[in-house]
Amino acid sequence: QAQLVESGGGSVQAGGSLRLSCAASGSSYCMGWFRQAPGKEREKVASIDIYGRTSYADSLKGRFTISRDNAKNTLYLQMNSLKPEDTAMYYCAAGPGGNGCRYNNWGQGTQVTVSS
């Protein structure tokens, strides 16, 4: 399995932007971003397959953009117009395709905190 290492988290004021990166040691058919806030269930933020086909959580469409650079084995999440409710630990995930994506590989997470 590819090792996944997230970076780019931090603290930002509401309305600001942040760009998360996930460096992988190998390629995967499916990659995605998930997040989990204290006291809440883990939720899928967005996913992308090896051909660039994407899907998003309905509540995040228009604010977040997922992308990947297959030559660099790197996944990105551009987050704009951030809100305090976006505060969470964000995880990079990867896995094979099939009948949908099956995520069997996870990064350590990077914290995103949105204030005001």
PDB file of all heavy atoms in Angstrom, residues 62-78:
ATOM      1  N   GLY A  62     -19.093  23.736  -4.668  1.00  0.00           N
ATOM      2  CA  GLY A  62     -18.900  25.143  -4.951  1.00  0.00           C
ATOM      3  C   GLY A  62     -17.863  25.809  -4.086  1.00  0.00           C
ATOM      4  O   GLY A  62     -17.371  26.886  -4.444  1.00  0.00           O
ATOM      5  N   ARG A  63     -17.513  25.206  -2.947  1.00  0.00           N
ATOM      6  CA  ARG A  63     -16.504  25.776  -2.062  1.00  0.00           C
ATOM      7  C   ARG A  63     -15.204  24.987  -2.074  1.00  0.00           C
ATOM      8  O   ARG A  63     -14.133  25.572  -1.953  1.00  0.00           O
ATOM      9  CB  ARG A  63     -17.014  25.859  -0.625  1.00  0.00           C
ATOM     10  CG  ARG A  63     -18.172  26.818  -0.432  1.00  0.00           C
ATOM     11  CD  ARG A  63     -18.366  27.153   1.050  1.00  0.00           C
ATOM     12  NE  ARG A  63     -18.687  25.975   1.850  1.00  0.00           N
ATOM     13  CZ  ARG A  63     -17.948  25.532   2.864  1.00  0.00           C
ATOM     14  NH1 ARG A  63     -16.839  26.177   3.209  1.00  0.00           N
ATOM     15  NH2 ARG A  63     -18.323  24.462   3.551  1.00  0.00           N
ATOM     16  N   PHE A  64     -15.299  23.662  -2.204  1.00  0.00           N
ATOM     17  CA  PHE A  64     -14.125  22.803  -2.175  1.00  0.00           C
ATOM     18  C   PHE A  64     -13.889  22.212  -3.559  1.00  0.00           C
ATOM     19  O   PHE A  64     -14.838  21.882  -4.281  1.00  0.00           O
ATOM     20  CB  PHE A  64     -14.308  21.654  -1.180  1.00  0.00           C
ATOM     21  CG  PHE A  64     -14.271  22.059   0.273  1.00  0.00           C
ATOM     22  CD1 PHE A  64     -14.343  23.378   0.668  1.00  0.00           C
ATOM     23  CD2 PHE A  64     -14.156  21.082   1.246  1.00  0.00           C
ATOM     24  CE1 PHE A  64     -14.307  23.735   2.005  1.00  0.00           C
ATOM     25  CE2 PHE A  64     -14.118  21.423   2.589  1.00  0.00           C
ATOM     26  CZ  PHE A  64     -14.192  22.742   2.973  1.00  0.00           C
ATOM     27  N   THR A  65     -12.624  22.050  -3.923  1.00  0.00           N
ATOM     28  CA  THR A  65     -12.255  21.441  -5.185  1.00  0.00           C
ATOM     29  C   THR A  65     -11.175  20.399  -4.955  1.00  0.00           C
ATOM     30  O   THR A  65     -10.123  20.704  -4.391  1.00  0.00           O
ATOM     31  CB  THR A  65     -11.747  22.485  -6.190  1.00  0.00           C
ATOM     32  OG1 THR A  65     -12.742  23.489  -6.397  1.00  0.00           O
ATOM     33  CG2 THR A  65     -11.422  21.827  -7.524  1.00  0.00           C
ATOM     34  N   ILE A  66     -11.436  19.169  -5.391  1.00  0.00           N
ATOM     35  CA  ILE A  66     -10.458  18.102  -5.286  1.00  0.00           C
ATOM     36  C   ILE A  66      -9.759  17.928  -6.630  1.00  0.00           C
ATOM     37  O   ILE A  66     -10.370  18.073  -7.691  1.00  0.00           O
ATOM     38  CB  ILE A  66     -11.121  16.782  -4.829  1.00  0.00           C
ATOM     39  CG1 ILE A  66     -10.060  15.730  -4.492  1.00  0.00           C
ATOM     40  CG2 ILE A  66     -12.097  16.261  -5.878  1.00  0.00           C
ATOM     41  CD1 ILE A  66     -10.630  14.481  -3.817  1.00  0.00           C
ATOM     42  N   SER A  67      -8.473  17.642  -6.590  1.00  0.00           N
ATOM     43  CA  SER A  67      -7.710  17.404  -7.804  1.00  0.00           C
ATOM     44  C   SER A  67      -6.562  16.466  -7.489  1.00  0.00           C
ATOM     45  O   SER A  67      -6.250  16.221  -6.326  1.00  0.00           O
ATOM     46  CB  SER A  67      -7.198  18.715  -8.407  1.00  0.00           C
ATOM     47  OG  SER A  67      -6.326  19.385  -7.511  1.00  0.00           O
ATOM     48  N   ARG A  68      -5.941  15.929  -8.526  1.00  0.00           N
ATOM     49  CA  ARG A  68      -4.788  15.059  -8.328  1.00  0.00           C
ATOM     50  C   ARG A  68      -3.813  15.225  -9.471  1.00  0.00           C
ATOM     51  O   ARG A  68      -4.198  15.536 -10.603  1.00  0.00           O
ATOM     52  CB  ARG A  68      -5.208  13.591  -8.184  1.00  0.00           C
ATOM     53  CG  ARG A  68      -5.864  12.987  -9.409  1.00  0.00           C
ATOM     54  CD  ARG A  68      -6.451  11.604  -9.114  1.00  0.00           C
ATOM     55  NE  ARG A  68      -5.423  10.589  -8.928  1.00  0.00           N
ATOM     56  CZ  ARG A  68      -5.672   9.332  -8.537  1.00  0.00           C
ATOM     57  NH1 ARG A  68      -6.920   8.956  -8.265  1.00  0.00           N
ATOM     58  NH2 ARG A  68      -4.671   8.473  -8.400  1.00  0.00           N
ATOM     59  N   ASP A  69      -2.551  15.023  -9.163  1.00  0.00           N
ATOM     60  CA  ASP A  69      -1.483  15.039 -10.140  1.00  0.00           C
ATOM     61  C   ASP A  69      -0.902  13.631 -10.155  1.00  0.00           C
ATOM     62  O   ASP A  69      -0.143  13.259  -9.258  1.00  0.00           O
ATOM     63  CB  ASP A  69      -0.423  16.070  -9.766  1.00  0.00           C
ATOM     64  CG  ASP A  69       0.650  16.229 -10.826  1.00  0.00           C
ATOM     65  OD1 ASP A  69       0.895  15.275 -11.594  1.00  0.00           O
ATOM     66  OD2 ASP A  69       1.256  17.321 -10.891  1.00  0.00           O
ATOM     67  N   ASN A  70      -1.280  12.849 -11.146  1.00  0.00           N
ATOM     68  CA  ASN A  70      -0.863  11.449 -11.185  1.00  0.00           C
ATOM     69  C   ASN A  70       0.646  11.295 -11.383  1.00  0.00           C
ATOM     70  O   ASN A  70       1.240  10.331 -10.908  1.00  0.00           O
ATOM     71  CB  ASN A  70      -1.620  10.704 -12.284  1.00  0.00           C
ATOM     72  CG  ASN A  70      -3.097  10.563 -11.990  1.00  0.00           C
ATOM     73  OD1 ASN A  70      -3.512  10.533 -10.824  1.00  0.00           O
ATOM     74  ND2 ASN A  70      -3.904  10.468 -13.035  1.00  0.00           N
ATOM     75  N   ALA A  71       1.259  12.237 -12.093  1.00  0.00           N
ATOM     76  CA  ALA A  71       2.698  12.174 -12.295  1.00  0.00           C
ATOM     77  C   ALA A  71       3.458  12.340 -10.986  1.00  0.00           C
ATOM     78  O   ALA A  71       4.550  11.801 -10.821  1.00  0.00           O
ATOM     79  CB  ALA A  71       3.144  13.228 -13.302  1.00  0.00           C
ATOM     80  N   LYS A  72       2.879  13.097 -10.048  1.00  0.00           N
ATOM     81  CA  LYS A  72       3.511  13.331  -8.753  1.00  0.00           C
ATOM     82  C   LYS A  72       2.921  12.481  -7.641  1.00  0.00           C
ATOM     83  O   LYS A  72       3.374  12.573  -6.498  1.00  0.00           O
ATOM     84  CB  LYS A  72       3.394  14.802  -8.370  1.00  0.00           C
ATOM     85  CG  LYS A  72       4.095  15.763  -9.312  1.00  0.00           C
ATOM     86  CD  LYS A  72       3.916  17.198  -8.854  1.00  0.00           C
ATOM     87  CE  LYS A  72       4.629  18.167  -9.774  1.00  0.00           C
ATOM     88  NZ  LYS A  72       4.437  19.579  -9.338  1.00  0.00           N
ATOM     89  N   ASN A  73       1.908  11.682  -7.957  1.00  0.00           N
ATOM     90  CA  ASN A  73       1.203  10.892  -6.943  1.00  0.00           C
ATOM     91  C   ASN A  73       0.754  11.766  -5.774  1.00  0.00           C
ATOM     92  O   ASN A  73       0.934  11.416  -4.608  1.00  0.00           O
ATOM     93  CB  ASN A  73       2.073   9.738  -6.437  1.00  0.00           C
ATOM     94  CG  ASN A  73       2.232   8.628  -7.451  1.00  0.00           C
ATOM     95  OD1 ASN A  73       1.337   8.366  -8.251  1.00  0.00           O
ATOM     96  ND2 ASN A  73       3.379   7.961  -7.423  1.00  0.00           N
ATOM     97  N   THR A  74       0.149  12.893  -6.098  1.00  0.00           N
ATOM     98  CA  THR A  74      -0.255  13.850  -5.087  1.00  0.00           C
ATOM     99  C   THR A  74      -1.719  14.221  -5.260  1.00  0.00           C
ATOM    100  O   THR A  74      -2.190  14.448  -6.378  1.00  0.00           O
ATOM    101  CB  THR A  74       0.610  15.115  -5.153  1.00  0.00           C
ATOM    102  OG1 THR A  74       1.987  14.755  -4.991  1.00  0.00           O
ATOM    103  CG2 THR A  74       0.230  16.087  -4.049  1.00  0.00           C
ATOM    104  N   LEU A  75      -2.423  14.274  -4.145  1.00  0.00           N
ATOM    105  CA  LEU A  75      -3.825  14.658  -4.081  1.00  0.00           C
ATOM    106  C   LEU A  75      -3.933  16.026  -3.420  1.00  0.00           C
ATOM    107  O   LEU A  75      -3.189  16.321  -2.486  1.00  0.00           O
ATOM    108  CB  LEU A  75      -4.605  13.628  -3.266  1.00  0.00           C
ATOM    109  CG  LEU A  75      -6.086  13.884  -3.016  1.00  0.00           C
ATOM    110  CD1 LEU A  75      -6.883  13.672  -4.299  1.00  0.00           C
ATOM    111  CD2 LEU A  75      -6.599  12.980  -1.899  1.00  0.00           C
ATOM    112  N   TYR A  76      -4.882  16.838  -3.877  1.00  0.00           N
ATOM    113  CA  TYR A  76      -5.067  18.181  -3.342  1.00  0.00           C
ATOM    114  C   TYR A  76      -6.520  18.422  -2.971  1.00  0.00           C
ATOM    115  O   TYR A  76      -7.435  17.823  -3.535  1.00  0.00           O
ATOM    116  CB  TYR A  76      -4.657  19.245  -4.363  1.00  0.00           C
ATOM    117  CG  TYR A  76      -3.244  19.129  -4.851  1.00  0.00           C
ATOM    118  CD1 TYR A  76      -2.957  18.489  -6.053  1.00  0.00           C
ATOM    119  CD2 TYR A  76      -2.187  19.653  -4.119  1.00  0.00           C
ATOM    120  CE1 TYR A  76      -1.660  18.380  -6.517  1.00  0.00           C
ATOM    121  CE2 TYR A  76      -0.884  19.548  -4.569  1.00  0.00           C
ATOM    122  CZ  TYR A  76      -0.629  18.912  -5.770  1.00  0.00           C
ATOM    123  OH  TYR A  76       0.662  18.807  -6.220  1.00  0.00           O
ATOM    124  N   LEU A  77      -6.717  19.325  -2.037  1.00  0.00           N
ATOM    125  CA  LEU A  77      -8.043  19.831  -1.718  1.00  0.00           C
ATOM    126  C   LEU A  77      -7.944  21.337  -1.533  1.00  0.00           C
ATOM    127  O   LEU A  77      -7.339  21.805  -0.566  1.00  0.00           O
ATOM    128  CB  LEU A  77      -8.611  19.182  -0.451  1.00  0.00           C
ATOM    129  CG  LEU A  77     -10.036  19.604  -0.090  1.00  0.00           C
ATOM    130  CD1 LEU A  77     -11.032  19.070  -1.117  1.00  0.00           C
ATOM    131  CD2 LEU A  77     -10.413  19.127   1.313  1.00  0.00           C
ATOM    132  N   GLN A  78      -8.517  22.080  -2.464  1.00  0.00           N
ATOM    133  CA  GLN A  78      -8.591  23.526  -2.349  1.00  0.00           C
ATOM    134  C   GLN A  78      -9.874  23.883  -1.621  1.00  0.00           C
ATOM    135  O   GLN A  78     -10.967  23.526  -2.076  1.00  0.00           O
ATOM    136  CB  GLN A  78      -8.567  24.178  -3.731  1.00  0.00           C
ATOM    137  CG  GLN A  78      -8.663  25.700  -3.712  1.00  0.00           C
ATOM    138  CD  GLN A  78      -7.451  26.349  -3.099  1.00  0.00           C
ATOM    139  OE1 GLN A  78      -6.325  25.994  -3.425  1.00  0.00           O
ATOM    140  NE2 GLN A  78      -7.667  27.308  -2.207  1.00  0.00           N
TER     141      GLN A  78
END
